[in-house]
Amino acid sequence: MPIRPATFPRAQGWLRWALVAVPMVAAMPRADALTWSLIGVTLALSLPLPWIHDAVLRPPMTALTLALIASTGALWVLHPGSWASVAMFSTTFFVVLKQSTVPIVLAIALDAGVITTWAARHDLWDDALSTYAVLAVIVLMALNRRARLARVEQTELALARAQTANEEHARAAALAERARIARELHDVLAHSLAGLSLNLQGARLMLVRDGASPDAVAQIERAQALAADGLAEARQAVAALREDAVGVERAIADLLAAYRLDTGARADLAVEGEPRELAPAVGTALVRAVQEALANTRKHAAQAEVDVTLGYAGGSVELTVADRQGRRPPDAAAAGYGLRGMGERVALLDGRLDSGPGEDGWRIYLKVPA
């Protein structure tokens, strides 16, 4: 089983441990019973050092490092010629580097007490002053290192914040430009296509009134269909540029508006219940059902009025599309590919689809969980 990086000792941890363990091993050849006891206690206290990382130590680890200073200092007092002072001063450096004010003061006080005891026990007052100077240098080095690490951390944090701000500014500028393009597209293209569709509708009605040739009327109808499709695509492009998802109600309303422009017949949408956001698959199934129903109405009952009802119920959504032909249509010989695909899409959603003739037209009803 691989060891996680968070639990694997780092190089700094091994170095801290070595600066304590090596002096202890060096003191073993001349050790007596008391010295062996101090060596054992010090080695036991040093065992967690490789796993202490760069974060500020918690109280148990703080007590452990202070105990290390005391045990290594006691060993140095007993054996002035040993390397125990290296272990004491290296642990002090680590405490000053990573601890808060109180542990730092306690560590320096412990070191000063050990140096004073060492000088008094062995009458080395002449050397005590230089040892105090060594302690001061170690403390200053640790404080300098600590300040440098803090500056590096602050610099990295400032760079990260600046990079985030630059990314946000770039994103805001891109969104603003996309919104501008969407406004231009909507104002110029969408309005122009809507006006074109209305004018073509008027031209078609005038040609029919004046008894124009069927070919001329068919050309106008094809141009009107192209304008209606272009209007729908322009609205989708505007929504994509604005990063706005087109709601089901809006998409169905656009289809009905295109049907009205194309046929001149009434096409209304009624929404029942409280509208809510639907899953993309559900919304697509509803919009495709309306699209297929309107295509069939254009094909089999030209200029028939259409009523669409979208109902939100608890845990489901219902859609009814009914065209008003004024008579009962004949039963379909077989379902076309459009109705078959609609049924398959609804079945994938665990829904229900019913389609067939009604009293005055064709009716499509579907219900899907939502």
Side-chain angles (χ1 to χ4, degrees):
M1 181 178 180
I3 299 177
R4 295 178 300 173
T7 61
F8 192 79
R10 300 178 181 177
Q12 297 93 329
W14 287 117
L15 178 60
R16 288 193 295 266
W17 179 78
L19 290 174
V20 174
V22 170
M24 297 302 103
V25 173
M28 288 180 180
R30 296 175 294 170
D32 53 19
L34 180 58
T35 303
W36 274 109
S37 300
L38 287 173
I39 291 174
V41 170
T42 302
L43 289 176
L45 292 173
S46 69
L47 291 178
L49 285 180
W51 285 268
I52 299 177
H53 298 324
D54 293 335
V56 175
L57 301 184
R58 295 180 179 179
M61 293 296 101
T62 301
L64 181 144
T65 53
L66 293 177
L68 265 177
I69 293 175
S71 63
T72 53
L75 185 60
W76 183 50
V77 169
L78 291 177
H79 299 278
S82 67
W83 291 0
S85 58
V86 174
M88 182 182 72
F89 287 138
S90 65
T91 306
T92 302
F93 180 89
F94 176 61
V95 171
V96 176
L97 183 64
K98 297 297 178 184
Q99 291 301 292
S100 57
T101 303
V102 174
I104 292 174
V105 172
L106 291 176
I108 295 174
L110 273 174
D111 287 332
V114 168
I115 294 171
T116 302
T117 304
W118 167 80
R121 179 182 178 89
H122 302 285
D123 194 19
L124 296 172
W125 293 105
D126 293 339
D127 297 331
L129 193 59
S130 60
T131 309
Y132 285 124
V134 171
L135 174 62
V137 170
I138 289 174
V139 171
L140 290 175
M141 289 175 58
L143 291 175
N144 181 68
R145 174 68 175 172
R146 180 174 182 151
R148 182 178 178 278
L149 291 176
R151 287 194 301 271
V152 170
E153 183 178 356
Q154 291 297 323
T155 302
E156 292 177 350
L157 182 60
L159 289 175
R161 288 176 177 173
Q163 182 178 359
T164 302
N166 290 335
E167 292 174 355
E168 291 297 329
H169 287 316
R171 177 175 173 79
L175 291 178
E177 180 64 14
R178 291 178 63 168
R180 185 191 66 79
I181 296 174
R183 287 194 301 269
E184 295 293 332
L185 181 62
H186 181 269
D187 293 342
V188 176
L189 185 57
H191 287 173
S192 299
L193 288 173
L196 178 62
S197 295
L198 290 174
N199 288 331
L200 289 172
Q201 173 70 6
R204 186 181 68 83
L205 294 176
M206 291 174 63
L207 290 175
V208 172
R209 182 196 65 188
D210 297 340
S213 66
D215 290 339
V217 175
Q219 289 288 345
I220 294 294
E221 288 178 347
R222 280 194 291 271
Q224 186 180 1
L226 289 173
D229 292 340
L231 179 60
E233 292 177 0
R235 286 175 173 170
Q236 292 177 359
V238 169
L241 284 172
R242 289 182 175 273
E243 293 188 342
D244 296 335
V246 178
V248 174
E249 297 88 351
R250 176 64 182 274
I252 294 176
D254 287 344
L255 292 174
L256 295 178
Y259 179 83
R260 287 193 296 268
L261 290 172
D262 187 22
T263 63
R266 179 184 64 82
D268 296 330
L269 170 65
V271 179
E272 300 176 351
E274 185 66 25
R276 60 180 180 271
E277 185 177 356
L278 301 175
V282 175
T284 300
L286 296 174
V287 174
R288 292 291 180 265
V290 175
Q291 191 174 28
E292 179 62 26
L294 293 177
N296 290 337
T297 300
R298 286 189 180 94
K299 181 178 179 181
H300 301 290
Q303 298 183 349
E305 296 180 350
V306 177
D307 288 316
V308 178
T309 303
L310 181 63
Y312 292 90
S316 65
V317 61
E318 301 178 359
L319 175 71
T320 303
V321 183
D323 56 31
R324 308 301 180 186
Q325 304 177 19
R327 59 181 177 81
R328 181 181 177 86
D331 293 338
Y337 290 112
L339 285 176
R340 192 178 306 166
M342 187 192 309
E344 292 172 353
R345 186 179 289 111
V346 172
L348 290 174
L349 298 173
D350 295 329
R352 180 168 64 92
L353 171 68
D354 295 325
S355 63
E359 292 299 327
D360 61 347
W362 197 269
R363 178 178 179 272
I364 292 177
Y365 170 83
L366 64 89
K367 179 178 181 180
V368 293

